[in-house]
Amino acid sequence: MTPSSLALLDDPHSADNLSGSPDIAGLRGPEDLVRFYREAAGTAPLLVVTNREPVVWKGEGCLSLPPGGVSQTIHRLLSRTGGRWIALRDSGGPDGLRVPGDEGDPGYRLDRMEIPPALMEGHYAGFSNGVLWPFFHDEPSRISGSVEDLVAYREVNRRVAARVLESLRESSPSLVWVHDYQMALVGREMRRSGSALPPLAFFWHIPWVETPVSGGIPRWLGEIVTGLLSYDQVGFQTELYRDRFLETVFALFGSRASWDGETLSVAMEGGIRRIHPGVFPISIDPDHFRMMARDPANTLRARLFLSDLGLDEKRAPGGYLISVDRLDYSKGFLERLDMLEALYALDPSRLGRLSLLQVAPSTRLSVDAYRRYAEAAESRAAELNRRYAKGDWRPVVTVSRSLDPSLLAPLYNLSRGCLVTATRDGMNLVAKEFLASQDGGGSPLFVSRHTGTAMTMEGLSLVDPADPALSARMIHEGLILDPRRVEKKNREALAFLREHNVYRWMASNLVRPLLSASSRSGTLARPA
Ligand code: F6P
């Protein structure tokens, strides 16, 4: 970053300039991100807070990386720049781990917080996924949870905040970056301590719903919103979600809140809180997916995998459509199967030829709504298979575990198309992974209009899980479209993704809080 771009901070309304500065727009890979970070933060380490850990402990000296792309990008940055990560423990091993970097890189420290099972149950299954998730995915009938769950959620957030405060006594991070709906109150708990704090940034990964009208705003929602106002910046995936958040703030605070397009100011008991509610659509590393999809060894592995599933060219001559989602009701499994059935009704010649391959690892089975949904989705798939199977061919092939990205990428690439049918989704990275893995190929993506991806990318073929019959027609038309037109669309989408990649996403989240910290302290960070 040049001194002139640092000077942009003098103008408090310069977020667009900041996030659109050439240095950020030009980021393409991990090296660029590390350079950006060094220039913006110098040697001060980043402190990241998440519900889940970025690595899985497999035994002494042996760590593996879970599939999550975003967490891997943050992990790579921290491995290179040093830093600290605080997360709730997912696997065995010691409470504190040194996650090593590659040769010459410092690696980072991972604080793994042990939460007693009953407390964790209330926090994770009870309030996070029994209340917040269904509420913000517009599924009010699936809301469960009790006052005790809210109490557990508060307590876990309080413990995490206490751990962050403890770590601030040991080292001074450039900023604290907290993630997702499971951790909304960490900032509030930190502010309550009265300690001097570095900038606090938060990223809300999921949708924000319309402000409830009938029945008023639940008290817990008021608490979450007030909690979010404790951060200096709250990032959203799309303008729609950011604007809905602002609407909720206005519904709660009325004329005590004002918004100038950059800064939200709210007069609260302790004084005026000023925060930046930003829009930062999350993304992937498209080049990484392209490379994995092109790799001959990966492709061979994918062909063998398909053959094991009965999806080789002989037994499924029309190929397969692919979908990849945790088995979550917000992903629209039932709607997708309805679309598939409607597609067969539109063009029965696809029976015996074109299957749906759904990669559907189970998820959150400690929550009743998830258990019931998994049963419903499985029985609907079984029903289609009973009704339409022909010889060795089945319409629906389900893989109930998550697959490594190096296998997924060629599976996307070899598919006849991809179905993303979420009824609500903060972003949906599967759509982006598919486009990158297609590498300008001729298989179409069909993406639900209720996803952040559909809201933030142009030129995609949209479907609507609320209307499976119409969606089936869109899919039918997409499948018979001249492949050259599909290739053109896919190439354009890939060009967009290469520009709007996960490295740029990270930098645009970090730039404002980092630069405001250096301007506040009167020192501009120097490259390390
Ligand atoms: O943003 C949605 C999210 O909670 C992510 O944080 C997480 O990676 C994903 O869903 C999986 O959820 P869980 O951590 O509950 O398995």
Side-chain angles (χ1 to χ4, degrees):
M1 180 155 307
T2 60
S4 62
S5 58
L6 292 172
L8 288 170
L9 244 217
D10 294 338
D11 171 8
H13 303 286
S14 61
D16 289 346
N17 294 337
L18 281 171
S19 56
S21 71
D23 309 275
I24 290 182
L27 294 185
R28 287 291 184 273
E31 299 297 327
D32 298 337
L33 181 62
V34 170
R35 208 164 27 248
F36 155 81
Y37 184 80
R38 289 281 186 230
E39 290 184 19
T43 50
L46 180 62
L47 197 164
V48 175
V49 179
T50 55
N51 193 60
R52 279 201 188 271
E53 296 187 271
V55 291
V56 183
W57 192 82
K58 297 270 186 180
E60 203 49 55
C62 180
L63 298 174
S64 75
L65 301 175
V70 175
S71 111
Q72 290 320 303
T73 305
I74 306 176
H75 158 86
R76 260 191 270 171
L77 177 70
L78 258 59
S79 302
R80 299 282 305 276
T81 59
R84 194 155 177 168
W85 195 314
I86 297 177
L88 308 189
R89 170 198 277 286
D90 291 327
S91 56
D95 289 345
L97 275 180
R98 183 90 225 150
V99 180
D102 288 341
E103 213 182 316
D105 293 337
Y108 61 93
R109 175 175 164 164
L110 173 63
D111 285 11
R112 322 172 70 217
M113 294 188 58
E114 185 79 53
I115 304 291
L119 193 55
M120 190 64 184
E121 172 77 12
H123 163 73
Y124 177 79
F127 193 68
S128 298
N129 294 310
V131 178
L132 294 177
W133 183 276
F135 177 80
F136 284 104
H137 286 82
D138 216 358
E139 293 271 357
S141 67
R142 297 191 206 263
I143 294 179
S144 54
S146 62
V147 177
E148 288 74 33
D149 294 331
L150 172 58
V151 172
Y153 178 86
R154 282 186 194 130
E155 174 59 13
V156 169
N157 276 248
R158 190 195 63 73
R159 289 184 186 202
V160 172
R163 177 61 64 87
V164 178
L165 289 167
E166 208 179 296
S167 83
L168 298 185
R169 287 192 280 277
E170 292 161 23
S171 60
S172 307
S174 56
L175 71 91
V176 179
W177 194 15
V178 184
H179 287 261
D180 229 348
Y181 63 103
Q182 306 94 340
M183 296 289 156
L185 302 181
V186 171
R188 175 187 79 175
E189 297 301 320
M190 289 178 68
R191 297 244 181 251
R192 278 182 175 171
S193 72
S195 317
L197 299 173
L200 306 184
F202 185 89
F203 192 77
W204 184 264
H205 287 250
I206 64 175
W208 195 277
V209 270
E210 281 181 50
T211 310
V213 183
S214 66
I217 299 183
R219 285 206 16 209
W220 60 260
L221 178 57
E223 184 171 345
I224 294 292
V225 171
T226 313
L228 291 176
L229 294 175
S230 303
Y231 295 93
D232 297 303
Q233 171 179 288
V234 179
F236 295 91
Q237 303 275 23
T238 70
E239 276 186 32
L240 177 70
Y241 305 152
R242 192 268 315 270
D243 291 351
R244 285 178 176 167
F245 166 75
L246 290 172
E247 276 165 22
T248 311
V249 170
F250 280 104
L252 282 163
F253 292 94
S255 60
R256 283 187 289 147
S258 66
W259 159 242
D260 66 4
E262 282 299 322
T263 304
L264 169 68
S265 307
V266 183
M268 303 178 79
E269 262 174 38
I272 297 187
R273 283 280 326 134
R274 290 193 177 81
I275 76 157
H276 173 61
V279 177
F280 312 111
I282 208 163
S283 194
I284 60 163
D285 177 342
D287 290 338
H288 185 51
F289 271 87
R290 276 173 64 221
M291 305 290 278
M292 289 190 295
R294 282 176 176 184
D295 184 296
N298 289 345
T299 304
L300 179 63
R301 201 150 58 93
R303 288 198 190 281
L304 292 172
F305 183 79
L306 289 169
S307 170
D308 285 347
L309 294 173
L311 289 174
D312 48 274
E313 278 161 24
K314 207 158 155 239
R315 286 175 288 175
Y320 62 94
L321 298 171
I322 189 166
S323 66
V324 181
D325 300 288
R326 290 179 300 106
L327 221 172
D328 189 309
Y329 48 79
S330 65
K331 304 294 183 183
F333 277 80
L334 298 174
E335 292 81 350
R336 185 190 304 145
L337 294 174
D338 289 348
M339 285 178 204
L340 185 70
E341 190 163 29
L343 182 68
Y344 290 138
L346 267 177
D347 183 356
S349 75
R350 296 196 190 284
L351 283 167
R353 297 178 55 77
L354 176 75
S355 299
L356 170 66
L357 167 59
Q358 44 176 19
V359 180
S362 59
T363 186
R364 303 175 184 169
L365 290 176
S366 53
V367 184
D368 277 350
Y370 281 83
R371 274 200 306 276
R372 285 198 300 271
Y373 189 75
E375 278 163 23
E378 278 153 23
S379 89
R380 179 78 174 108
E383 182 194 340
L384 288 189
N385 281 344
R386 265 195 312 275
R387 192 171 300 161
Y388 298 108
K390 281 188 179 178
D392 278 351
W393 179 87
R394 281 171 303 152
V396 185
V397 176
T398 304
V399 175
S400 303
R401 61 189 168 92
S402 55
L403 300 181
D404 191 84
S406 63
L407 178 58
L408 271 181
L411 288 175
Y412 288 134
N413 186 238
L414 295 169
S415 74
R416 188 65 191 85
C418 178
L419 296 187
V420 172
T421 57
T423 53
R424 290 282 177 278
D425 207 335
M427 180 52 60
N428 197 282
L429 295 182
V430 166
K432 296 186 178 187
E433 292 171 3
F434 173 82
L435 289 167
S437 304
Q438 269 296 305
D439 195 7
S443 297
L445 166 71
F446 303 100
V447 60
S448 161
R449 69 184 190 85
H450 305 292
T451 59
T453 301
M455 295 171 206
T456 52
M457 283 182 76
E458 283 176 11
L460 300 181
S461 302
L462 303 186
V463 291
D464 189 345
D467 193 340
L470 181 66
S471 300
R473 182 157 289 285
M474 302 297 296
I475 296 168
H476 174 68
E477 281 167 14
L479 289 174
I480 58 176
L481 199 66
D482 180 347
R484 281 169 305 187
R485 285 181 59 190
V486 181
E487 282 166 17
K488 183 167 176 286
K489 262 174 115 138
N490 284 348
R491 272 198 305 274
E492 284 166 4
L494 183 56
F496 178 90
L497 286 181
R498 296 191 78 197
E499 208 181 313
H500 298 87
N501 56 63
V502 70
Y503 306 105
R504 181 175 175 172
W505 173 78
M506 269 193 74
S508 46
N509 269 275
L510 301 181
V511 66
R512 174 182 286 267
L514 283 180
L515 297 188
S516 73
S518 46
S519 81
R520 247 192 344 227
S521 68
T523 55
L524 294 182
R526 296 273 165 255

